Amino acid sequence: MAVLKDRYSFTPAEPAPGARRTIRAEICGVGRGLHSGRDVTMVLKPGAVGSGVVFCRADLGIDLPAKFNLVTDTRLCTLIAEGEARVGTIEHLMAAVMAVGIDDLRVEVDAAELPIFDGSAAPFLFLLEAAGVVEHGGLRERIEILRTVRVEQNGAFAELRPHREGGAGFEVSLQIEFAAKAIGAQSYHFLLSEEGFAEEIAPARTFAMRAEIEALRAAGLARGGSLANAIVVDNEAIVNPEGLRFEDEFVRHKLLDVIGDLALAGAPISGRFVGCKTGHGLNNLLLRALFADQANYRVTNGSLAAQARQLTAA
């Protein structure tokens, strides 16, 4: 595959685990659901120490932990469900949560998906930063990748690898390739940091092919989609009158999705992700493969190790 661009973002060495983090104050966001087309109210609240990220269907009174093993649908978004409760399109918020280093957060929503806002993670990042990020006790946990884990599907692959010698943090390398001439082949490499995420990744919007939009709507998807919240591609043309935010906005958004999907591991990942043509489904399969064998990883705190053992046994 041709590599069009390869960017790098660097941060200092990985910090030692410190106190867990949440937001300082409650904050609300209102928008439209991408797939349902419904108006959605989302309220972000400080989470209890050790609770992790929890989605609450305020209209049903049911809590859903943000965990990879609760993912039940990956068509064009990541959706978690348990019983009658489900919450979809969570990946953009989860990417922002991982980027700012939040461990515990309560997300109350009155519909089956989060607001799409402008199709990027930037509005979620703004809400989190406006609410303020604070340490609130307990010890942060980290999942260190010990050996390479790989999943493949229909010519695509996704891997989690240990760090190279001297490496730290979470590195993401992604390649994509689309038949549409406006996209073609693109590549991006990124070392996750809050500042780098805000500048390079968060503003990148979701996208769709013009020829596929009617089929999506007939299937009950993308009913809230518009040029205000997605890039629409018509072969060599970008339909949006304002054009692209980045020349390679497409691979940046796919990388955003990787970060958000892998945030469902339950703690920050220390290692490297390498993927080609990956999507929500393959990202989730990768986490399932990772936690299927305890020899693949180690955790800084025993509390998360116990959770991982429970998930593996389930």
Side-chain angles (χ1 to χ4, degrees):
M1 175 182 293
V3 176
L4 299 187
K5 192 170 290 186
D6 199 15
R7 298 287 185 85
Y8 292 84
S9 298
F10 294 100
T11 55
E14 189 169 18
R20 294 177 69 88
R21 300 172 183 171
T22 188
I23 55 174
R24 184 186 304 275
E26 178 180 316
I27 195 165
C28 178
V30 179
R32 177 163 293 186
L34 174 62
H35 297 299
S36 68
R38 286 187 51 189
D39 290 336
V40 182
T41 298
M42 177 189 71
V43 183
L44 305 179
K45 297 184 175 183
V49 175
S51 63
V53 179
V54 177
F55 289 89
C56 172
R57 281 292 301 272
D59 53 332
L60 301 176
I62 297 175
D63 287 354
L64 290 166
K67 293 292 178 65
F68 70 92
N69 62 323
L70 292 185
V71 172
T72 61
D73 196 345
T74 54
R75 294 175 301 163
L76 304 178
C77 76
T78 294
L79 182 146
I80 56 174
E82 195 165 31
E84 63 177 312
R86 60 193 181 98
V87 181
T89 323
I90 64 174
E91 59 273 9
H92 300 170
L93 171 61
M94 292 302 298
V97 165
M98 180 177 272
V100 300
I102 289 175
D103 304 286
D104 304 309
L105 181 70
R106 186 168 180 82
V107 184
E108 296 186 355
V109 62
D110 64 355
E113 64 178 322
L114 298 191
I116 189 61
F117 295 131
D118 71 346
S120 79
F124 294 103
L125 189 64
F126 171 81
L127 289 171
L128 293 172
E129 291 178 340
V133 179
V134 295
E135 294 184 346
H136 72 148
L139 287 177
R140 303 200 73 202
E141 297 152 335
R142 184 175 292 114
I143 300 168
E144 181 184 356
I145 306 303
L146 299 180
R147 64 183 186 182
T148 298
V149 179
R150 180 184 175 103
V151 292
E152 302 179 29
Q153 193 174 69
N154 301 323
F157 76 86
E159 290 184 352
L160 283 169
R161 301 176 181 176
H163 280 301
R164 291 180 286 261
E165 186 176 353
F170 183 47
E171 292 184 66
V172 182
S173 298
L174 182 65
Q175 293 179 310
I176 65 170
E177 189 169 12
F178 286 80
K181 293 180 180 178
I183 304 176
Q186 299 181 359
S187 175
Y188 209 87
H189 180 100
F190 181 73
L191 177 58
L192 183 62
S193 69
E194 182 176 353
E195 297 79 8
F197 182 83
E199 294 178 6
E200 301 177 42
I201 306 301
R205 296 162 293 173
T206 191
F207 57 93
M209 306 302 155
R210 185 172 188 171
E212 299 173 353
I213 290 176
E214 288 306 315
L216 290 173
R217 288 177 174 165
L221 300 169
R223 292 178 176 176
S226 72
L227 294 180
N229 55 39
I231 305 167
V232 177
V233 178
D234 189 2
N235 194 18
E236 74 279 1
I238 303 298
V239 177
N240 305 62
E242 75 279 11
L244 298 176
R245 294 176 177 175
F246 307 99
E247 178 186 352
D248 53 358
E249 188 167 357
F250 306 100
V251 70
R252 294 181 193 230
H253 184 80
K254 285 292 190 178
L255 191 147
L256 186 163
D257 284 343
V258 167
I259 294 171
D261 289 340
L262 297 189
L264 296 179
I269 293 174
S270 179
R272 297 180 289 153
F273 171 92
V274 178
C276 178
K277 304 179 185 178
T278 185
H280 300 301
L282 205 58
N283 297 338
N284 184 251
L285 287 176
L286 182 61
L287 285 184
R288 292 177 185 269
L290 172 69
F291 288 108
D293 189 337
Q294 292 181 35
N296 294 333
Y297 64 95
R298 88 177 142 216
V299 185
T300 57
N301 283 343
S303 58
L304 188 60
Q307 294 175 25
R309 284 193 294 271
Q310 293 173 3
L311 291 174
T312 302

